[in-house]
Amino acid sequence: MTEIVTSGDARFRARLVTDEYATNPRENHDHLGYVITIDTHLGHYAPVDEDGGPLAQGWGRVSWNRWKGVEIFTRWARIFHGAIVVESRPPQGAVSLWYLMPEDAQDLGLLPEAYLNAEREEYEAWAAGEAFGIIIEQSVDWRRADGRSGTLTTWAEVDSSWGYYGHCWALTEACRNLAQHAGTPELAT
């Protein structure tokens, strides 16, 4: 998939392209949250994290209860450990419990659940293949060297960056990078 955003004067453009070699953000970046994989749909999906973190044993004690296990674990983690727990059931992918321990959440201010949701959304975007790169290009006009009439316009790459997870964030960053290169905030798509 390639999506193109052009500057108002059409001198620059940003190409948003699928990053086929994006790394799993859980393996390659710092993160504060822990993830317990509940269901991989009979092995169809890989576990989110191999190590479920410090509360994984607690999940092991209640995981047998398929009707109330998530609710029991969530209450236990919140009451006895002060953890923030978010359940994830993506349309395609492993079902999981994401949690943040209080010592990791203390520096996040008033929105630790939003931080945990951002980690989850980043991973789910990667797992769904929504990883992008941004290529900034400038139009180049070519004139014939022999003096005859006619020109040719091509695009020359001037910058690129990769590793954007999620279409919305990638598109926002493409517009920001394009405006920076074009020197104007006016963009046309």
Side-chain angles (χ1 to χ4, degrees), residues 29-103:
H29 298 97
D30 291 335
H31 50 272
L32 298 176
Y34 299 97
V35 185
I36 296 171
T37 304
I38 298 173
D39 182 13
T40 61
H41 298 281
L42 300 173
H44 185 69
Y45 301 108
V48 177
D49 281 346
E50 293 299 327
D51 174 19
L55 301 183
Q57 282 187 329
W59 171 250
R61 292 184 186 128
V62 298
S63 62
W64 62 270
N65 188 339
R66 56 187 289 206
W67 297 278
K68 293 281 189 182
V70 171
E71 180 184 337
I72 293 169
F73 174 83
T74 301
R75 290 186 65 206
W76 170 78
R78 286 180 179 161
I79 293 169
F80 291 101
H81 297 281
I84 297 166
V85 182
V86 174
E87 182 181 1
S88 173
R89 293 187 178 272
Q92 294 180 340
V95 177
S96 54
L97 291 171
W98 294 67
Y99 65 95
L100 193 59
M101 298 300 286
E103 58 271 15

Side-chain angles (χ1 to χ4, degrees), residues 4 8 13 15 37 39 53-54 74 85 89 93 99-100 111 115 126 131 136 140 161 178-180 186:
I4 297 176
R13 73 180 184 183
R15 282 191 305 127
T37 304
D39 182 13
T74 301
V85 182
R89 293 187 178 272
Y99 65 95
L100 193 59
L111 302 172
Y115 172 85
W126 171 81
I136 304 294
V140 178
S161 55
L178 181 60
Q180 182 179 5
E186 300 170 18

